[in-house]
Amino acid sequence: QMEESVKQRLQKKYTIAEARALNPLTLAYIGDGVYSEYIRRFLVSGGISNVNHLTKESIKYVRADGQSKMALALMDSLTDEEQTIVRRGRNTRSHVPKHARTIDYRYATGLEALVGYLELTGQKERLEELMVRGINLLSE
């Protein structure tokens, strides 16, 4: 009984309206984990097995400036709905860490909100398409 409800919650698919109604920082919270997993899979599959090296290599992808660069590069290829999600994430007031430029941090939050939105609404193919394009861009 209890396990069934846990399973239902883990598999919950959000409608566009439900996902849109979530706080952009909640979308970014989900997006942060999903985004990190993509980066980790990409780096591990490239043959790096030293964890310190993996962590060092992941920095250019997961730091605010890298995510901001990705967000800006993808903007033109996003649908109106996706651009709206990025903008809502970007415009949500949040604490900017000392090591990040405010504009970078805002766009990074926007990108993470978009990743969270696509994940929660089950748009896996679209998410993968954008991640492939974005990772490709950052690894040049």
Side-chain angles (χ1 to χ4, degrees):
Q1 179 69 341
M2 180 66 169
E3 266 183 38
E4 199 47 46
S5 84
V6 169
K7 189 176 175 183
Q8 283 172 340
R9 286 174 64 180
L10 289 175
Q11 295 175 344
K12 178 172 170 50
K13 284 284 171 270
Y14 290 70
T15 65
I16 302 282
E18 287 172 330
R20 214 186 274 150
L22 291 172
N23 182 315
L25 295 180
T26 303
L27 292 174
Y29 170 77
I30 293 287
D32 176 57
V34 172
Y35 179 89
S36 292
E37 187 181 344
Y38 270 97
I39 299 306
R40 289 174 181 198
R41 283 174 173 267
F42 172 70
L43 294 175
V44 168
S45 68
I48 305 170
S49 57
N50 178 305
V51 175
N52 292 331
H53 190 178
L54 284 165
T55 302
K56 214 176 111 217
E57 198 54 31
S58 71
I59 285 170
K60 73 175 170 210
Y61 299 96
V62 299
R63 260 198 355 221
D65 56 340
Q67 287 185 329
S68 172
K69 192 173 158 188
M70 188 188 288
L72 289 166
L74 291 174
M75 268 324 250
D76 286 346
S77 60
L78 299 181
T79 65
D80 290 348
E81 174 71 17
E82 290 166 346
Q83 287 185 11
T84 299
I85 299 292
V86 172
R87 274 194 298 273
R88 283 184 55 220
R90 181 195 69 195
N91 295 337
T92 302
R93 288 285 158 244
S94 56
H95 174 72
V96 179
K98 278 196 288 286
H99 65 267
R101 288 174 39 213
T102 301
I103 188 69
D104 285 341
Y105 191 74
R106 301 260 180 256
Y107 270 103
T109 303
L111 178 69
E112 288 179 346
L114 176 61
V115 171
Y117 171 83
L118 293 172
E119 173 70 22
L120 290 178
T121 56
Q123 299 181 61
K124 296 272 195 230
E125 273 179 38
R126 178 61 173 160
L127 175 55
E128 187 156 302
E129 179 189 328
L130 294 175
M131 288 303 299
V132 167
R133 199 174 302 158
I135 289 171
N136 210 27
L137 181 111
L138 291 182
S139 46
E140 279 171 359

